[in-house]
Amino acid sequence: MRQRDLTAFRKLLEERREELIHEASRTVDGMGENREQFPDPTDRASLEGNRNLTLRIRDRERKLITKIDEALGRIDDGSYGKCEECGSDIGIERLRARPVTTLCIDCKSLQEAQERRRIS
Ligand SMILES: [Zn+2]
């Protein structure tokens, strides 16, 4: 991959990472604010539901942040953009759509087909 593209992907990943951390910290603040506003038990139950949702979102964000960190690590060690299964180029278009991916479209399709077979 060209240096120019690598720099662009690094920027994109770092921006996405910033956004996620920002969102995550805002979610935590929101949880604190709402705690005293629902004295009624019914409302408290729905607040608990919201809180579970919030925790799930944060879990998802945390996983994505880890993936972004790994992708940034691959940019550093020069393996970014290579499929971890077959070693071929993942392709700029696919990386633009999903910058944290580690598989080329062929290996991804294969993996999904195998997962479907395992389930059925
Ligand atoms: Zn591959």
Side-chain angles (χ1 to χ4, degrees):
M1 191 182 290
R2 284 171 305 185
Q3 193 57 44
R4 197 164 54 103
D5 291 325
L6 278 177
T7 310
F9 278 117
R10 180 192 293 278
K11 192 163 175 291
L12 188 110
L13 287 162
E14 280 172 352
E15 278 171 6
R16 188 74 192 107
R17 193 177 189 286
E18 284 286 304
E19 268 171 41
L20 284 167
I21 289 170
H22 186 74
E23 276 167 32
S25 61
R26 204 176 45 200
T27 314
V28 175
D29 290 346
M31 279 164 67
E33 272 168 36
N34 287 336
R35 203 164 291 152
E36 301 302 318
Q37 285 172 11
F38 299 100
D40 174 67
T42 325
D43 283 347
R44 204 178 298 144
S46 74
L47 179 63
E48 282 303 305
N50 284 342
R51 215 150 69 111
N52 287 340
L53 181 70
T54 308
L55 291 175
R56 263 207 307 279
I57 291 168
R58 288 185 59 210
D59 188 51
R60 209 186 58 127
E61 284 170 347
R62 212 167 31 236
K63 279 180 188 146
L64 194 50
I65 288 171
T66 307
K67 281 186 175 177
I68 289 174
D69 283 340
E70 286 166 2
L72 286 167
R74 289 196 298 278
I75 290 179
D76 287 336
D77 70 21
S79 65
Y80 186 76
K82 292 251 183 284
C83 173
E84 67 177 8
E85 281 293 324
C86 68
S88 64
D89 287 336
I90 291 172
I92 296 284
E93 285 308 312
R94 177 161 162 73
L95 285 170
R96 277 210 186 103
R98 210 171 144 60
V100 297
T101 193
T102 57
L103 294 172
C104 73
I105 191 69
D106 290 342
C107 292
K108 184 67 189 168
S109 307
L110 200 68
Q111 191 191 60
E112 278 170 0
Q114 280 166 350
E115 270 164 20
R116 266 198 301 275
R117 224 170 297 149
R118 249 200 308 275
I119 294 163
S120 56

